[in-house]
Amino acid sequence: DYEDLQIVRFGPTAANPDFGSFITDNIGSADIYGFEGEFTWYPTDNLRLSGNYAYLDTEVDDLVLNVASGALDVSGSDLRQAPEHKTSLTGSYDIPLNSGANVNLRVDFTYIDEQINDYANQDTIIEDFSLVDARASWRSASEQWEVALWGKNLTDEEYVSHSYVIGPGVIGVWGAPITYGVSVSYSL
């Protein structure tokens, strides 16, 4: 239970109805219930499976916003950027080499449930999305050098990572498309 929780939002105001402003408001109170669990399992010395799951149930109470059209009571709304379900799974496999170096193969899966992104405009829903990333790396025996081939959002999921209200519309920022690359690092 939160009392006098402060929120920051961006949106049209009486002073700036055409574009919007950042505003800090107080929520009378907010209730947050949930649980989170995680696991790590080593079926073999070289294979690691891990993951987590979070469940979140949120509700704001006594939240009246001053928007361009006047007072707006959004009590009962979910907290913004608070998905009900969020989970991730990781599989990682190490291949020791005779030289003492190591090759690691890793796959990550992430799921994030839908969430609202603005209290005043409940149409700013960010839809649920899933991402798959992968990485293959070689680490030298001294552990100073690492070369990695990686890919993110391998299924090329189209998703909105953030949204906000400007004037009369909702603007969404797309998440990164499929990206891949090679990284080389050296540690002293």
Side-chain angles (χ1 to χ4, degrees):
D1 293 333
Y2 285 93
E3 296 292 330
D4 299 323
L5 177 65
Q6 284 192 331
I7 60 164
V8 177
R9 63 183 190 83
F10 183 89
T13 62
N16 194 350
D18 296 328
F19 185 72
S21 302
F22 281 101
I23 302 117
T24 301
D25 282 312
N26 288 324
I27 296 177
S29 64
D31 298 318
I32 301 172
Y33 304 95
F35 63 88
E36 186 172 347
E38 61 183 57
F39 74 92
T40 301
W41 178 42
Y42 287 89
T44 69
D45 289 341
N46 298 341
L47 178 61
R48 178 177 65 94
L49 303 173
S50 60
N52 66 42
Y53 170 76
Y55 170 78
L56 196 58
D57 181 18
T58 65
E59 183 177 320
V60 298
D61 298 320
D62 305 322
L63 178 57
V64 179
L65 303 173
N66 292 316
V67 298
S69 60
L72 177 64
D73 187 352
V74 294
S75 300
S77 171
D78 291 335
L79 282 171
R80 67 183 286 275
Q81 296 179 318
E84 187 175 5
H85 303 281
K86 188 174 182 179
T87 190
S88 67
L89 298 169
T90 299
S92 178
Y93 188 74
D94 287 314
I95 304 168
L97 303 177
N98 291 337
S99 64
N102 185 63
V103 171
N104 177 263
L105 306 174
R106 177 181 170 138
V107 176
D108 297 298
F109 169 81
T110 303
Y111 170 79
I112 300 176
D113 204 0
E114 78 174 24
Q115 55 195 297
I116 66 163
N117 212 34
D118 186 75
Y119 295 107
N121 185 339
Q122 300 278 315
D123 292 334
T124 60
I125 293 173
I126 295 176
E127 299 292 333
D128 65 324
F129 60 92
S130 300
L131 300 174
V132 176
D133 302 336
R135 185 176 193 269
S137 64
W138 170 87
R139 184 174 293 241
S140 67
S142 67
E143 297 188 356
Q144 289 183 301
W145 285 99
E146 182 181 70
V147 178
L149 173 65
W150 51 267
K152 296 183 179 184
N153 190 7
L154 294 176
T155 60
D156 206 17
E157 174 92 7
E158 292 182 352
Y159 67 101
V160 174
S161 64
H162 185 72
S163 66
Y164 50 96
V165 177
I166 291 183
V170 176
I171 304 296
V173 177
W174 289 105
I178 185 171
T179 55
Y180 46 88
V182 176
S183 300
V184 177
S185 59
Y186 177 78
S187 301
L188 297 175

